[in-house]
Amino acid sequence: MGLLSFIFGYKKNQVKEYLENGALILDVRSQEEWDRGHIDNSIHIPLDDLINRIDDINHLEKPMIVCCQSGVRSAKAARFLNLHNISAINGGGWVSLNKQL
């Protein structure tokens, strides 16, 4: 098994585990990106608005799988959520995450 297969296989298993535990998909892209397409039933909160919406997310009492366009913003968002005691993982880009669902 190559390194990339190992890394992406782990992420796929992590996403599956989170979904089995009732996780919600949180998309942190801009409104314009969201309007061009998104995962059905996902929650949209742009990364810049996340700090102001942390209480809304906390009240959901669900783990989060965070996605964006490429995985960079979602990594930042997942770290931020974890710092606020919300269980979250970086799901990467929304298109590839959508293929796993």
Side-chain angles (χ1 to χ4, degrees), residues 36-89:
R36 288 192 295 264
H38 56 270
I39 297 173
D40 290 340
N41 301 314
S42 59
I43 298 167
H44 178 237
I45 301 175
L47 182 61
D48 292 342
D49 296 338
L50 200 55
I51 194 166
N52 298 321
R53 303 279 307 276
I54 195 70
D55 288 337
D56 297 336
I57 296 168
N58 217 350
H59 288 341
L60 295 171
E61 297 181 351
K62 296 278 187 176
M64 296 285 156
I65 301 170
V66 189
C67 67
C68 63
Q69 188 64 36
S70 67
V72 175
R73 288 174 284 178
S74 54
K76 291 177 184 178
R79 266 194 312 273
F80 176 78
L81 294 173
N82 285 307
L83 287 171
H84 287 84
N85 297 316
I86 297 169
S87 180
I89 59 168

Side-chain angles (χ1 to χ4, degrees), residues 16 22 28 30 32 53 59 81 93:
K16 181 181 177 191
V28 294
S30 69
E32 294 79 22
R53 303 279 307 276
H59 288 341
L81 294 173

Side-chain angles (χ1 to χ4, degrees), residues 8-27:
F8 291 111
Y10 174 75
K11 182 177 272 195
K12 192 174 191 176
N13 289 337
Q14 198 176 27
V15 166
K16 181 181 177 191
E17 182 180 315
Y18 263 64
L19 289 171
E20 289 170 354
N21 287 308
L24 301 174
I25 308 294
L26 174 62
D27 191 320

